[in-house]
Amino acid sequence: MAIDFKKYIMSTGTHYIANSGHDENKQYHGGKAGDQTGHEWELKGWYSRPWTVVLRWPDPAVGLKIAQLGIAAALNNKIGYDQYQRKSYWTQLEKAGYDPSKITTPCEEDCTAGVTANCKAAGYLLGIKALQDLPMDTYSGNMKSRFVRAGFVALTEKKYLTSASYLLPGDVLLYESHHGATNITYGKSVRPKVAPVLTPISGGAAEVPPVEAEGLRKGDEGSAVRKMQEALLLWYADALPLYGADGDFGNETEMGVKAFQQDAGLPVTGIYDEATRKALTGIGKAQKVQITASLNVRTAPGTEGTKILGVVHKGDTLPYGGETRQVDGRDWYLVEYQGRNAWVSSKYSKVVN
């Protein structure tokens, strides 16, 4: 069954974290492999442990992948808690192609071993060697130094530690020498207006059918409809909650197409036309920022108080980091520039597939 990641990441009710703290006997070791109660590794509301530092990977797209891994692990009751067998989860995660939802052999982790394993998995899924190299003997006493050395940013301001308002998906919550967990939900002060596009954990682009002149619409049937429905489910796992990809363009599919069109900023017609096909084709593909005129690349969004890292010119492209922020009435895109995170103005650039 597909996991509805957006349900947890975009939640406006419970602010979720992926938390693991004891076995089925409320002990640190000695229980049966796997999650016997559903609470050995679970999705629960944020709480003050207290946390002493938040560790954040600079690229929010990586954070989203870490959050997805945390959700999938918490929902799989083959994964339990035991400090003495804390590395067995990583062993099974490797065998499952780094997707916790595909683990079928009971295994164990503890709070920081689970977080570390998921960050390593994100490294393999996204090709980030620094994450791949995180040691599996990491624990709460050395996690901060090891994660910072790998490239995480240590956030210690009060606003990150005493509430969930400024947390991003994939942030690592750490009570040094005691406990660690993964933040799942966007904090209310940093929640995006439009939900991010989430691909399956293992990635992959949407396979979408070509469009005939009249498009696909309610009443159509067949393989083209089914492929279009599968692409909608890749965009949002709960887009077709009753019938899924059944090849029948009925009321549910029409509503799913309309929801996608609204999310993508397209005319909301309910008809699978060429514009809708192009938007769906981009799901799961790496996006880039195309430069339309010479402009400065900056250390942060906006011009006030930011440093210029360099200049790019018309026709250049930079990898898009998946985050757009509005400063002084203008969108700024997170990009990768000379191996580091940077920002460019939307005035002379645009996001493309």
Side-chain angles (χ1 to χ4, degrees), residues 295-308:
L295 82 163
N296 295 324
V297 182
R298 295 184 176 273
T299 55
T303 56
E304 295 295 324
T306 63
K307 295 181 180 179
I308 297 174

Side-chain angles (χ1 to χ4, degrees), residues 6-16 185-186 191:
K6 285 187 180 180
K7 171 183 176 182
Y8 303 101
I9 289 174
M10 294 298 294
S11 172
T12 57
T14 301
H15 184 110
Y16 291 99
T185 306
Y186 280 105
R191 191 189 320 277

Side-chain angles (χ1 to χ4, degrees), residues 214-222 225 228-229 232 243 246-258 261 269-273:
E214 66 275 12
L216 295 173
R217 62 188 67 212
K218 186 176 177 181
D220 289 340
E221 299 179 353
V225 173
M228 180 265 291
Q229 292 169 325
L232 282 174
Y243 303 109
D246 61 356
D248 184 358
F249 199 134
N251 290 331
E252 181 176 80
T253 299
E254 184 180 49
M255 290 176 62
V257 171
K258 286 182 176 180
Q261 288 170 332
T269 64
I271 298 172
Y272 174 70
D273 54 16

Side-chain angles (χ1 to χ4, degrees), residues 19-300:
N19 186 78
S20 175
H22 55 72
D23 67 12
E24 68 269 28
N25 302 312
K26 298 190 181 300
Q27 302 296 318
Y28 296 129
H29 62 86
K32 187 178 179 180
D35 191 339
Q36 311 308 311
T37 65
H39 298 291
E40 293 186 51
W41 196 344
E42 63 180 332
L43 295 170
K44 65 182 299 182
W46 180 93
Y47 64 98
S48 178
R49 182 66 173 92
W51 309 111
T52 55
V53 63
V54 168
L55 301 168
R56 174 176 294 174
W57 189 261
D59 184 346
V62 178
L64 284 168
K65 187 64 68 176
I66 293 171
Q68 286 182 277
L69 290 160
I71 294 168
L75 295 179
N76 186 347
N77 286 338
K78 295 296 183 181
I79 307 166
Y81 182 102
D82 192 309
Q83 286 187 348
Y84 288 6
Q85 302 177 54
R86 66 196 301 267
K87 296 182 182 179
S88 63
Y89 168 57
W90 172 245
T91 298
Q92 295 304 319
L93 190 56
E94 285 187 296
K95 292 180 180 179
Y98 309 109
D99 185 343
S101 68
K102 296 180 180 178
I103 291 176
T104 57
T105 300
C107 56
E108 307 278 56
E109 49 73 53
D110 66 12
C111 60
T112 50
V115 172
T116 302
N118 285 346
C119 290
K120 283 175 69 71
Y124 282 98
L125 292 168
L126 301 174
I128 304 171
K129 191 174 187 305
L131 291 178
Q132 296 172 16
D133 291 342
L134 285 170
M136 272 310 303
D137 61 353
T138 297
Y139 70 104
S140 58
N142 62 18
M143 175 175 268
K144 177 182 175 181
S145 61
R146 288 186 172 184
F147 274 48
V148 168
R149 192 178 307 125
F152 283 81
V153 176
L155 304 173
T156 56
E157 293 180 58
K158 184 178 179 180
K159 67 179 184 179
Y160 297 112
L161 307 179
T162 58
S163 82
S165 295
Y166 291 89
L167 297 179
L168 296 177
D171 283 351
V172 176
L173 310 175
L174 180 61
Y175 179 23
E176 292 168 88
S177 298
H178 291 85
H179 188 54
T182 302
N183 183 65
I184 300 300
T185 306
Y186 280 105
K188 62 182 180 181
S189 296
V190 292
R191 191 189 320 277
K193 293 181 179 179
V194 178
V197 172
L198 298 172
T199 62
I201 285 177
S202 57
E207 180 185 356
V208 294
V211 178
E212 301 294 337
E214 66 275 12
L216 295 173
R217 62 188 67 212
K218 186 176 177 181
D220 289 340
E221 299 179 353
S223 61
V225 173
R226 181 176 291 106
K227 287 183 178 180
M228 180 265 291
Q229 292 169 325
E230 290 171 351
L232 282 174
L233 291 170
L234 185 55
W235 161 66
Y236 184 37
D238 200 31
L240 307 170
L242 296 179
Y243 303 109
D246 61 356
D248 184 358
F249 199 134
N251 290 331
E252 181 176 80
T253 299
E254 184 180 49
M255 290 176 62
V257 171
K258 286 182 176 180
F260 173 75
Q261 288 170 332
Q262 182 173 0
D263 200 18
L266 300 172
V268 181
T269 64
I271 298 172
Y272 174 70
D273 54 16
E274 181 62 19
T276 306
R277 184 197 70 80
K278 286 182 177 180
L280 270 177
T281 301
I283 304 300
K285 288 187 176 180
Q287 292 181 300
K288 296 181 179 181
V289 172
Q290 185 178 77
I291 308 304
T292 57
S294 296
L295 82 163
N296 295 324
V297 182
R298 295 184 176 273
T299 55

